[in-house]
Amino acid sequence: MSNVKQTDQGAARRLDFICGVVLAVLSLVALVWVIPAAVPGEASRGEVAPSFFPKLTAGIIFICSLALAVLNRDALRANARIGGWTILGEIAGWGVLATIIMLLLIHVGLVPASILATAVATVVARYRGHWGIPVVVAVALPFVLRFGVQALFSIELP
């Protein structure tokens, strides 16, 4: 029984490593190619450039995904096997979630979309700790972000 648990943990860590590498590559593609090609980089005097927040987001994703890959690099030597369909399903699931969040941001705004996104991400990530912390974070984070961006950059988020 414990050997099965270790195999499952090894497979999960290996999946985390592979997803970290894939996300790091995708965020680099966004930083180097997609954002410069699709978002204007110039700002008028005293304003934040339109490309600032996309670049900031892609940079944070790159750092976090690189950390995920580095922390789970030892899982490559483990004998645990995971199928390509598992990896593809995990990445596709997060891709669908990202698309839904983007559509919610466009149609309902930052606060409701962020609350739902944080709640779904907590469930998908299989958080099994105290549920009070994620609920408080899911509800408070969008309001804190909205206030912080307004106070620091004088930008009204949708």
Side-chain angles (χ1 to χ4, degrees):
M1 183 86 169
S2 65
N3 190 23
V4 171
K5 242 183 198 178
Q6 287 177 340
T7 303
D8 289 346
Q9 287 178 346
R13 291 190 66 220
R14 193 172 192 158
L15 181 62
D16 286 346
F17 172 80
I18 293 168
C19 288
V21 169
V22 169
L23 286 172
V25 169
L26 290 174
S27 62
L28 278 178
V29 168
L31 279 168
V32 174
W33 180 47
V34 176
I35 294 170
V39 181
E42 298 297 320
S44 59
R45 190 174 193 103
E47 292 185 4
V48 177
S51 63
F52 175 75
F53 287 107
K55 285 181 179 178
L56 178 67
T57 303
I60 291 170
I61 291 171
F62 175 73
I63 291 168
C64 291
S65 59
L66 200 59
L68 181 66
V70 168
L71 289 173
N72 290 294
R73 70 185 181 278
D74 294 339
L76 287 178
R77 289 184 233 141
N79 291 333
R81 302 285 250 179
I82 53 171
W85 290 109
T86 305
I87 296 168
L88 186 60
E90 180 94 6
I91 292 171
W94 283 106
V96 167
L97 180 61
T99 303
I100 291 169
I101 292 167
M102 182 187 72
L103 292 172
L104 284 173
L105 281 170
I106 292 168
H107 296 291
V108 298
L110 174 77
V111 173
S114 298
I115 291 172
L116 180 67
T118 306
V120 169
T122 302
V123 171
V124 171
R126 296 178 206 94
Y127 182 79
R128 289 183 171 82
H130 301 286
W131 281 96
I133 295 169
V135 168
V136 169
V137 169
V139 173
L141 184 64
F143 293 104
V144 170
L145 286 175
R146 188 176 213 176
F147 173 76
V149 168
Q150 175 69 31
L152 293 173
F153 301 108
S154 299
I155 296 173
E156 184 67 32
L157 294 175

